[in-house]
């Protein structure tokens, strides 16, 4: 028996499980974030990004903000993919005006061999936030938990920060693949345990963000990213209290490998905006649901153009038939400069146009 309120809107979960829906559900990557003035107010109260992410009250507040503003079909936990390597002792910090950095990146054999899966107790603040958010949602919509992919985490852990060329991590990959595999297998075990703990805390779906998989060469992608996501998916709890827990995987820049991604055992595959949705549906058939893939920059256009692009995308997928499913999303995270009014136009257009397509 679940401790949580029954779900009032399960459209998102049904789409992931390729069951019939009355309309196409949607949520947005980074939907709780800097484009919302209410988020910026909470962030200033918290004092820092990590002050926000590590405080369950603040994390709950910002997770719910976009749902109070827009009729979205899912909430996603407010957190960061780098909480896991932080709990491994790498010393995550955020410099003003810059992205995340690690005080102790993995630079040599000694660093790598000392790496261990984290004590999940160090991530208790995340699991508390999941339970609190799920409770406060009161069955309104499902809650998504998430983690970074083993490869994407490794990029930050070895580089010490975000990168454009991935010179340091790729040097390790080609010079010392044994060390790279050690990092990745450690990460895979940690990510699987982390996602399962989020499911135990109340997450109703989980997503693996492979933000940097597209930086890899063909062949290297399969060996150093895809295989480790497969390991994670194979260890996930796929049911809780008798209810299925769907899993989504998303490799930015992964359209080339769509069929291979669809075969690792997840319920849905996220697509970036470079992928043709009609072709993607034809390529994967009835293996998985698809999620995506509006270019986030469309939200800088005029309302009529936003509606037109939404309609084009919904038509590109077509009406979901038996054993197919589509969740509308952006092809990457929403820009911090997006006008909230444009998001309202898009959300309304998705719901309205997708209902008409099903008549």
């Amino acid at each position: 028996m679940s401790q949580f309120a029954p779900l009032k809107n399960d459209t998102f979960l049904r789409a992931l499980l390729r069951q019939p829906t009355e309309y196409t559900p949607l949520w947005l990557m980074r939907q709780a974030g800097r484009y919302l003035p209410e988020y910026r107010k909470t962030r200033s109260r918290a004092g820092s990004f990590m002050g926000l992410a590590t405080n369950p009250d603040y994390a709950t507040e910002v997770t719910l903000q976009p749902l109070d503003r827009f009729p979205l079909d899912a909430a996603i936990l407010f957190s960061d993919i780098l909480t896991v390597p932080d709990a491994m002792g790498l010393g995550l910090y955020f410099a003003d005006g810059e992205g995340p950095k690690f005080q102790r990146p993995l630079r040599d054999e000694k660093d790598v061999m000392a790496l261990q899966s984290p004590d999940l107790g160090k991530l208790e603040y995340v699991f508390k936030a999941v339970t609190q958010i799920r409770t406060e949602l009161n069955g309104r919509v499902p809650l998504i938990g998430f983690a970074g992919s083993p490869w994407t985490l490794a990029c930050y852990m070895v580089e010490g920060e975000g990168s454009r060329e991935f010179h340091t991590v790729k040097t390790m990959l080609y010079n010392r693949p044994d060390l790279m595999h050690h990092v990745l297998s450690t990460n895979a075990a940690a990510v699987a345990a982390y996602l399962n703990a989020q499911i135990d805390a109340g997450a109703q779906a989980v997503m693996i963000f492979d933000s940097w998989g597209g930086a890899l060469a063909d062949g290297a992608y399969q060996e150093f990213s895809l295989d480790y996501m497969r390991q994670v998916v194979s260890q996930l709890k796929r049911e809780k209290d008798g209810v299925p827990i769907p899993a989504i995987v998303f490799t930015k820049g992964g359209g080339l490998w769509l069929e291979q991604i669809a075969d690792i055992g997840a319920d849905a595959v996220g697509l970036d905006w470079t992928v043709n949705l009609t072709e993607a549906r034809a390529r994967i058939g009835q293996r998985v649901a698809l999620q995506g893939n509006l270019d986030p920059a469309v939200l800088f256009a005029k309302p009529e153009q936003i509606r037109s692009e939404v309609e084009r995308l919904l038509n590109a997928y077509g009406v979901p038939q038996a054993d197919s499913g589509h969740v509308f999303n952006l092809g990457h995270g929403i820009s911090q400069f997006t006008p909230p009014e444009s998001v309202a136009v898009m959300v309304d257009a998705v719901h309205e146009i997708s209902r008409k397509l099903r008549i």
Side-chain angles (χ1 to χ4, degrees):
M1 183 69 185
S2 174
Q3 70 189 83
F4 302 109
L7 200 49
K8 301 180 185 98
N9 175 1
D10 66 349
T11 314
F12 164 72
L13 297 178
R14 280 189 283 130
L16 291 181
L17 296 169
R18 294 173 291 126
Q19 296 169 356
T21 59
E22 299 78 48
Y23 62 88
T24 301
L26 84 157
W27 67 280
L28 309 176
M29 290 186 270
R30 295 200 197 125
Q31 68 188 21
R34 290 180 290 178
Y35 73 104
L36 290 176
E38 53 268 43
Y39 168 88
R40 294 194 293 270
K41 280 184 188 165
T42 309
R43 164 80 169 69
S44 68
R45 287 206 330 268
S48 68
F49 177 85
M50 287 306 283
L52 193 61
T54 58
N55 180 309
D57 291 336
Y58 286 142
T60 299
E61 188 177 315
V62 295
T63 298
L64 297 177
Q65 283 169 348
L67 296 162
D68 292 336
R69 198 186 257 263
F70 315 113
L72 296 157
D73 294 290
I76 182 164
L77 161 72
F78 180 83
S79 187
D80 192 271
I81 62 169
L82 300 181
T83 53
V84 170
D86 183 44
M88 292 170 162
L90 273 65
L92 177 64
Y93 70 100
F94 288 79
D96 272 352
E98 297 180 43
K101 297 189 176 187
F102 284 114
Q103 292 167 349
R104 293 175 288 281
L106 307 177
R107 287 293 162 79
D108 56 31
E109 185 161 355
K110 184 165 119 326
D111 296 336
V112 169
M113 298 319 289
L115 191 69
Q116 294 182 332
S117 269
D119 170 4
L120 288 179
K122 292 181 177 169
L123 293 162
E124 188 59 36
Y125 64 90
V126 176
F127 313 133
K128 281 186 174 163
V130 169
T131 302
Q132 190 170 329
I133 295 161
R134 174 87 186 267
T135 302
E136 295 204 17
L137 278 168
N138 198 30
R140 200 180 344 173
V141 292
L143 174 62
I144 306 164
F146 72 92
S149 72
W151 163 253
T152 292
L153 297 184
C155 288
Y156 287 100
M157 293 159 73
V158 175
E159 295 284 346
E161 59 187 322
S163 175
R164 290 193 174 172
E165 295 182 1
F166 301 99
H167 172 258
T168 313
V169 72
K170 284 191 174 186
T171 301
M172 182 185 289
L173 182 153
Y174 289 116
N175 271 347
R176 290 293 306 272
D178 57 320
L179 295 185
M180 196 75 249
H181 282 301
H182 182 79
V183 174
L184 292 168
S185 60
T186 306
N187 285 356
V191 167
Y194 180 57
L195 288 174
N196 283 335
Q198 289 183 43
I199 291 166
D200 283 340
Q204 290 154 287
V206 291
M207 181 157 169
I208 300 168
F209 284 92
D210 187 31
S211 307
W212 302 124
L216 288 166
D218 186 53
Y221 172 73
Q222 289 83 347
E223 181 179 351
F224 294 96
S225 182
L226 192 65
D227 277 354
Y228 287 97
M229 286 197 288
R230 182 184 285 110
Q231 283 184 32
V232 173
V233 171
S234 72
Q235 296 173 63
L236 290 178
K237 298 180 181 188
R238 304 304 279 274
E239 195 178 279
K240 172 83 170 157
D241 299 323
V243 178
I245 307 287
I248 311 162
V249 291
F250 171 60
T251 293
K252 185 168 183 284
L256 174 69
W257 306 300
L258 178 56
E259 294 87 345
Q260 294 167 63
I261 299 170
D263 279 340
I264 68 168
D267 298 282
V269 175
L271 305 171
D272 68 26
W273 66 83
T274 65
V275 177
N276 179 293
L277 207 46
T278 307
E279 290 174 12
R281 185 175 178 185
R283 283 166 62 188
I284 60 98
Q286 297 171 328
R287 279 181 272 179
V288 291
L290 294 175
Q291 178 175 278
N293 64 337
L294 189 73
D295 181 349
V298 166
L299 295 174
F300 297 118
K302 293 187 172 70
E304 57 272 21
Q305 191 60 35
I306 295 170
R307 282 185 62 87
S308 167
E309 289 295 321
V310 165
E311 186 163 23
R312 185 185 65 75
L313 209 70
L314 289 168
N315 281 320
Y317 183 86
V319 179
Q321 307 297 337
D323 285 330
S324 66
H326 180 215
V327 172
F328 197 98
N329 207 315
L330 302 176
H332 195 47
I334 188 167
S335 162
Q336 70 186 84
F337 305 110
T338 304
E341 301 74 30
S342 297
V343 177
V345 170
M346 177 189 62
V347 174
D348 290 345
V350 171
H351 285 155
E352 180 194 328
I353 295 165
S354 67
R355 280 182 196 279
K356 286 180 181 166
L357 282 175
R358 284 162 170 75
I359 294 171

